[in-house]
Every structure is written in structure tokens, then in C-alpha cells.
């Protein structure tokens, strides 16, 4: 049996005020009141009602009520001070037929809008619930946006719960601008960022909902996409989970994890054949018919570059280091190489792996439109200008990077490529090319294993770490920087 409704004094209007006057509600000790409790409340009226006669709303996207012990105690002592909102259940089901089958208690008089925590606290405390009738929401089909607006302001929804609420409006076909306007968000971009959380794998969503991962980190992970530019496919989820795993295991930021992933996917390890340990741009290279360079000039440049680059270390491969005296052909005296210790081998491999990762990071830096600040560019260019012997090998490496990024003319040889860039009117391309050579000069130098690192090498690594790539130094590099693993992170 439905409990009688207790009218609130001086809160009603229209026919209800008139009926109150007739019934003597506003007079002291009015005696028995007849008929007043049978009157339906008017839309917008504030009144108290038995919470057991109010059903939860299937549109409510709260994933849990959280700890409400303190709220229950407060309601037990003082009652429900902040009203919830209700609609007549039959009206809600009529206006929202698509939700009718999901209403858990269609027989109850009212169904909730906002106020699920307050209703549960009132139930547990054995107190009536303070509510406002909002049938207009159902009639105008604005229940979703009112749920979002009031919950956003009052209930401190988790980012995932906010996203689920906004998704109600998206399911109705509303645009981002319309959702932002109706739900009280500042812009379409804010709505898009929140909704993108629902594209993440469930494991990441659960972590965000629990508060273990921030919404900002979730937004960053949601921008990781597959080759088809989707962030919700199985392939995209695999990449997102990989980045998320790095965040959990190594305590790195989402941005750093995303950039590390970009390094490994955009420029996968092993895709550095042009920078192999063989002479760079040697005689075996076959031109592809660039019309801007004659065959005679090409042969001359090839011979020059081969002569200057032969014997130099290219790419990221690290040559074996030897000790002791060497014969004229570069081999140790006696014709045999000394046996390499396990420690030396491990260090050589660590150096090679680190150099390969830095090489890929350099490419990623160059792929950014704002690849460096003016001070960084100047510093790198000064190093390159003051060390002219490094230019040729650095230019070869830079040419490879820029060609793979699709920057500049389609010229196969480094010398001809940079000649064409210099003659081009594109100032941005010139700056990028000069920066690429300076960056490559530092990387070629840092990747040599026949020398100890100095401040210039460490500055090069620190630049990569501080760049948009947010490069994560390997353990080998952390040792060279004099950092512990925790400090580097």
C-alpha cells in the first residue's frame, strides 16, 4: 500500500493552496484532515514521499553508489535536506517507450531523475525522501540532459559515469555541439574527450572509474589509433593496453607511453636499412630517375660520398671494439680477435639497442610540426657548424630521416637533396633540414662506441627526453646520465 504523501507547508500553488485552505492545513491544530493526501502534486511541487514507492531510473549511469554510510547517518539525524527529482512512472514509460522494458519497478508511483544516493540513504535510515515533481522533463524528453546536469553539479560522478551519461544523448543522435549545450559543458571538444573514454578497453575504463588512472591519462590513451585511424578496434585496444601496461609497470606518463608506442610503430625497429654499417649511399645504390640531377653529376656525387663515408659508422649498428695492437688491416696482431667477455657483449648490445631507440626518437621529433624551440635549434646548429667534419655523415643520416617522413624533394642522394632544399623557397623546410642535420650530427656522435660520452652527448639525450617525444632513456643511458632508474622516470 502506498504511504500517504505529506504536503510541505507554503510550497504549493494553484488548486493545491486552495484545497489546503479548505482543509485547514494552515491553521493551528486543524483536527482531522480529509482528502488532502489524495491530491496529486503539481509539477514543480516540493514534497516528501516514501522512498520505497520511488523506483530507480534505468537512464542513471552510476556504476555504484559508493560509500553512503555518512549520508545514511546524516539522513537518520536530520532527514533528506537536498531534494531529488521524480516523474510519474507511467508518464515516463509513455514518453520513453525505448526505456520502458528496462524500468525495474513499473508498478511504483514515481521514478527517479537525480537522487539515487539520497533515495538509498532514506531507505536505509527509514526516513521519507524529499523530492520535486518533474513531469515536464518526461513530457519534453529532456530527462537525459537533466540527469547529466544535476549529477555533474552535485554527485561528483567519475569520468566514466559522466561519459555514460553523455552517451545517452549521443544515442539519440545529438551532435557534439548539441550535447554540450544541453548538458551544460563548455564546448564540443570537452564532450568528445569525455565520450572517447568509452572507446577504451574495459580494463582501462575500470581503472579510470576506480580513480587509479586519471581522466587526463585516459584521454591521452584514447587518442592511440590503429592503421585505419580507429581508436575502438581490437588493434587499437591492443596498442592502448600496451601503453597502459608501460604506465603501470614503469610509472611513466600516458604521453610518454604514447610517444614510445609511436616510436615503435611509426618507425619500427629494424626499419633502418639505409643506415646500416655498410658504406652509406655506396656505388650499389640505384637512382630512381630524378630529373633534376644529371647522370654525370650523380656519379660524381656518389663517388665523393662513398669515399667520405666509407669506414664510418652508419645507422645504429655498433662495431666490435678491440683492444691491444692492431695490424695494418685493422685486425688484432696475430690475426685473431680477443674473446669478448659476457659483460662486454651485453654492454655492446645495450649500446646498440639504445642507439637504435634514439635514432627512432629523432625521427619522431622531426615528424612534429613544432619540433623544437628556437634556443634548442640554435644550440644544435652551433654544434654542427663548429664541427664541420661531422657534416657529411650527419647529412646522410638526416636525409634518410627526412625522406622517410616525406619531407622535401624526392631526391635519392643526400648531397643533391640538400642542394635542392637550399634552392627551394620554403623557409620552413630549410629550417627543418638544418635542424635534422644538427640532430643527426649529435646522434651519430653519441652512437659511436670508440669514445666516452661527454656533456654534448648527455645534452643530446636530455633534449630527446624533454621534447614532445618524451623519450624514456634505457637503463644503459640512465647509467651514462648518472641517474638511477627512478630518477630517470
Amino acid at each position: 500500500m502506498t504511504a500517504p504523501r505529506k504536503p510541505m507547508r507554503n510550497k504549493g500553488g494553484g488548486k493545491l493552496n486552495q484545497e489546503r485552505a479548505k482543509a485547514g492545513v494552515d491553521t493551528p491544530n486543524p483536527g482531522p484532515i480529509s482528502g488532502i493526501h489524495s491530491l496529486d502534486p503539481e509539477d514543480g511541487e516540493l514534497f516528501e514521499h516514501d522512498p520505497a514507492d520511488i523506483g530507480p531510473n534505468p537512464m542513471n549511469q552510476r556504476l555504484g553508489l559508493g560509500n553512503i554510510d555518512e549520508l545514511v547517518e546524516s539522513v537518520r539525524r536530520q532527514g533528506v535536506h537536498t531534494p531529488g527529482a521524480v516523474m510519474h512512472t507511467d508518464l515516463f514509460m509513455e514518453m520513453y517507450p525505448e526505456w520502458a522494458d528496462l524500468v525495474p519497478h513499473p508498478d511504483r508511483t514515481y521514478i527517479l531523475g537525480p537522487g539515487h544516493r539520497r533515495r538509498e540513504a532514506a531507505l536505509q535510515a527509514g526516513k521519507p525522501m524529499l523530492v520535486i515533481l518533474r513531469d515536464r522533463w518526461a513530457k519534453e524528453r529532456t530527462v537525459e540532459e537533466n540527469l547529466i546536469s544535476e549529477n555533474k553539479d552535485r554527485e561528483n560522478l567519475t569520468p566514466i559515469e559522466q561519459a555514460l551519461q553523455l552517451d545517452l544523448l549521443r544515442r539519440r543522435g545529438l551532435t557534439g555541439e548539441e550535447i554540450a549545450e544541453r548538458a551544460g559543458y563548455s564546448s564540443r571538444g570537452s564532450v568528445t574527450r569525455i565520450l572517447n573514454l568509452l572507446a577504451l578497453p574495459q580494463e582501462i575504463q575500470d581503472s579510470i572509474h576506480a580513480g587509479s588512472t586519471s581522466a587526463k591519462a585516459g584521454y591521452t590513451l584514447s587518442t592511440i589509433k590503429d592503421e585505419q585511424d580507429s581508436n575502438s578496434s581490437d588493434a587499437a585496444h591492443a596498442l592502448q593496453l600496451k601503453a597502459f601496461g608501460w604506465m603501470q609497470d614503469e610509472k611513466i606518463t600516458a604521453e610518454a607511453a604514447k610517444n614510445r608506442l609511436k616510436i615503435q610503430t611509426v618507425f619500427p625497429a629494424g626499419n633502418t636499412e639505409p643506415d646500416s654499417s655498410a658504406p652509406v649511399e655506396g656505388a650499389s645504390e640505384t637512382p630512381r630517375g630524378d630529373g633534376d640531377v644529371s647522370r654525370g653529376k650523380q656519379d660524381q656525387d656518389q663517388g665523393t660520398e662513398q669515399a667520405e663515408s666509407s669506414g664510418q659508422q652508419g645507422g645504429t649498428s655498433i662495431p666490435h671494439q678491440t683492444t691491444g695492437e692492431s695490424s695494418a688491416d685493422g685486425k688484432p696482431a696475430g690475426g685473431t680477435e680477443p674473446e669478448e667477455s659476457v659483460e662486454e657483449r651485453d654492454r655492446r648490445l645495450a649500446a646498440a639497442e639504445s642507439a637504435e631507440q634514439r635514432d627512432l626518437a629523432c625521427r619522431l621529433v622531426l615528424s612534429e610540426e613544432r619540433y623544437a624551440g628556437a634556443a634548442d635549434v640554435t644550440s644544435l646548429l652551433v654544434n654542427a657548424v663548429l664541427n664541420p667534419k661531422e657534416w657529411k655523415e650527419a647529412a646522410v643520416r638526416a636525409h634518410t630521416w627526412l625522406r622517410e617522413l616525406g619531407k622535401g624533394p624526392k631526391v635519392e642522394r643526400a648531397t643533391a637533396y640538400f642542394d635542392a632544399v637550399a634552392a627551394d623557397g620554403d623557409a620552413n623546410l630549410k629550417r627543418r633540414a638544418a635542424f635534422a642535420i644538427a640532430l643527426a650530427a649529435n646522434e651519430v656522435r653519441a652512437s659511436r662506441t670508440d669514445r666516452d660520452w661527454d656533456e654534448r652527448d648527455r645534452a643530446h639525450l636530455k633534449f630527446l627526453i624533454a621534447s614532445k617525444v618524451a623519450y624514456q632513456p634505457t637503463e644503459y643511458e640512465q647509467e651514462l646520465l648518472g641517474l638511477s632508474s627512478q630518477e630517470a622516470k
Side-chain angles (χ1 to χ4, degrees):
M1 178 178 177
T2 302
R5 177 176 58 84
K6 179 182 177 183
M8 303 298 294
R9 293 170 63 94
N10 300 323
K11 295 295 184 180
K15 67 174 184 179
L16 189 58
N17 266 352
Q18 297 172 11
E19 294 300 327
R20 280 200 179 97
K22 290 179 184 178
V25 172
D26 293 326
T27 61
N29 303 315
I33 299 174
S34 62
I36 189 66
H37 291 300
S38 64
L39 292 176
D40 287 335
E42 296 177 351
D43 197 64
E45 183 187 349
L46 180 68
F47 63 98
E48 287 182 334
H49 196 75
D50 180 2
D53 189 42
I54 303 173
N57 195 317
M59 286 183 177
N60 179 58
Q61 297 301 306
R62 271 198 176 276
L63 300 178
L65 296 177
N67 186 347
I68 63 169
D69 291 345
E70 290 186 8
L71 182 58
V72 171
E73 286 303 313
S74 173
V75 171
R76 186 174 285 123
R77 292 192 309 269
Q78 305 174 18
V80 177
H81 282 186
T82 304
V86 297
M87 297 152 282
H88 281 91
T89 305
D90 54 357
L91 176 63
F92 174 84
M93 295 172 65
E94 176 186 350
M95 300 307 298
Y96 283 93
E98 67 272 28
W99 289 94
D101 291 339
L102 299 175
V103 173
H105 301 287
D107 56 323
R108 295 184 181 177
T109 304
Y110 299 110
I111 187 170
L112 269 173
H116 286 73
R117 282 171 51 86
R118 283 162 279 171
R119 172 187 170 275
E120 181 62 26
L123 273 173
Q124 293 188 29
K127 297 285 187 177
M129 184 177 180
L130 187 64
V131 294
I132 299 176
L133 184 64
R134 295 297 190 193
D135 277 347
R136 178 171 53 87
W137 292 358
K139 293 174 182 177
E140 296 176 354
R141 285 179 61 88
T142 59
V143 176
E144 298 96 329
E145 42 262 63
N146 282 290
L147 273 170
I148 294 168
S149 178
E150 295 213 15
N151 276 332
K152 180 166 69 73
D153 293 339
R154 294 179 178 173
E155 302 292 350
N156 297 320
L157 296 182
T158 71
I160 295 299
E161 289 170 334
Q162 291 182 46
L164 290 169
Q165 291 280 188
L166 292 176
D167 191 48
L168 296 177
L169 295 176
R170 181 169 60 178
R171 286 189 233 167
R172 283 175 50 183
L174 272 65
T175 65
E177 288 85 355
E178 291 170 332
I179 294 173
E181 180 181 353
R182 296 196 185 190
Y185 283 81
S186 59
S187 66
R188 176 185 61 81
S190 299
V191 169
T192 300
R193 281 161 57 87
I194 295 173
L195 285 172
N196 276 347
L197 297 179
L198 300 181
L200 291 166
Q202 192 60 50
E203 179 182 343
I204 302 179
Q205 290 191 42
D206 291 344
S207 181
I208 296 170
H209 175 64
S212 302
T213 300
S214 70
K216 181 179 179 181
Y219 302 148
T220 299
L221 293 174
S222 72
T223 62
I224 297 174
K225 300 179 180 180
D226 62 15
E227 293 181 354
Q228 281 68 49
D229 203 35
S230 169
N231 66 347
S232 59
S233 67
D234 290 343
H237 282 179
L239 295 173
Q240 292 159 2
L241 286 170
K242 188 173 185 179
F244 181 64
W246 288 332
M247 291 171 58
Q248 302 297 104
D249 296 340
E250 303 179 31
K251 309 304 179 187
I252 63 175
T253 66
E255 191 67 35
K258 176 185 174 182
N259 285 327
R260 183 190 294 185
L261 194 63
K262 286 172 67 176
I263 291 172
Q264 294 188 0
T265 55
V266 178
F267 305 112
N271 186 28
T272 55
E273 286 302 316
D275 287 330
S276 66
S277 58
V280 183
E281 294 192 349
S284 60
E285 181 185 33
T286 303
R288 298 184 182 177
D290 295 308
D292 59 338
V293 183
S294 68
R295 180 62 186 224
K297 179 74 165 64
Q298 169 192 316
D299 291 341
Q300 179 182 355
D301 285 346
Q302 280 187 326
T304 302
E305 291 186 10
Q306 181 178 358
E308 293 186 357
S309 63
S310 61
Q312 292 180 334
Q313 178 195 344
T316 59
S317 61
I318 308 298
H320 287 274
Q321 289 183 269
T322 60
T323 58
E325 297 181 359
S326 300
S327 61
D329 60 1
K331 294 182 180 180
T336 60
E337 296 184 3
E339 185 176 348
E340 184 180 40
S341 69
V342 173
E343 182 179 349
E344 289 172 337
R345 183 196 64 192
D346 289 346
R347 188 168 182 80
R348 175 176 56 81
L349 292 175
E353 179 183 356
S354 299
E356 183 176 66
Q357 291 301 310
R358 288 197 311 275
D359 182 89
L360 300 178
C362 290
R363 302 178 197 218
L364 190 56
V365 168
L366 281 173
S367 72
E368 298 286 347
E369 288 308 308
R370 298 187 65 178
Y371 41 83
D376 291 320
V377 173
T378 300
S379 175
L380 290 173
L381 288 175
V382 166
N383 284 334
V385 170
L386 295 180
N387 296 276
K389 292 182 179 179
E390 299 173 359
W391 190 92
K392 183 65 72 171
E393 190 174 357
V396 171
R397 177 85 63 103
H399 171 245
T400 299
W401 291 344
L402 293 168
R403 284 296 311 280
E404 288 189 0
L405 289 169
K407 306 293 185 181
K410 294 181 179 180
V411 178
E412 292 293 333
R413 291 169 294 105
T415 302
Y417 173 89
F418 287 109
D419 282 347
V421 169
D424 195 287
D426 188 341
N428 287 330
L429 176 60
K430 291 179 181 180
R431 280 192 292 268
R432 191 187 298 269
F435 173 74
I437 293 174
L439 188 64
N442 278 352
E443 181 51 42
V444 168
R445 187 173 185 270
S447 63
R448 292 175 59 95
T449 56
D450 57 353
R451 51 179 295 278
D452 295 329
W453 268 31
D454 58 18
E455 283 306 311
R456 180 178 165 190
D457 301 299
R458 284 185 278 273
H460 170 60
L461 181 56
K462 290 176 182 177
F463 167 75
L464 295 178
I465 294 171
S467 71
K468 285 189 175 182
V469 175
Y471 178 72
Q472 293 295 308
T474 64
E475 290 186 8
Y476 172 81
E477 291 166 336
Q478 292 169 25
E479 180 183 340
L480 293 173
L481 283 177
L483 296 176
S484 66
S485 298
Q486 202 59 39
E487 288 173 328
K489 292 171 183 176

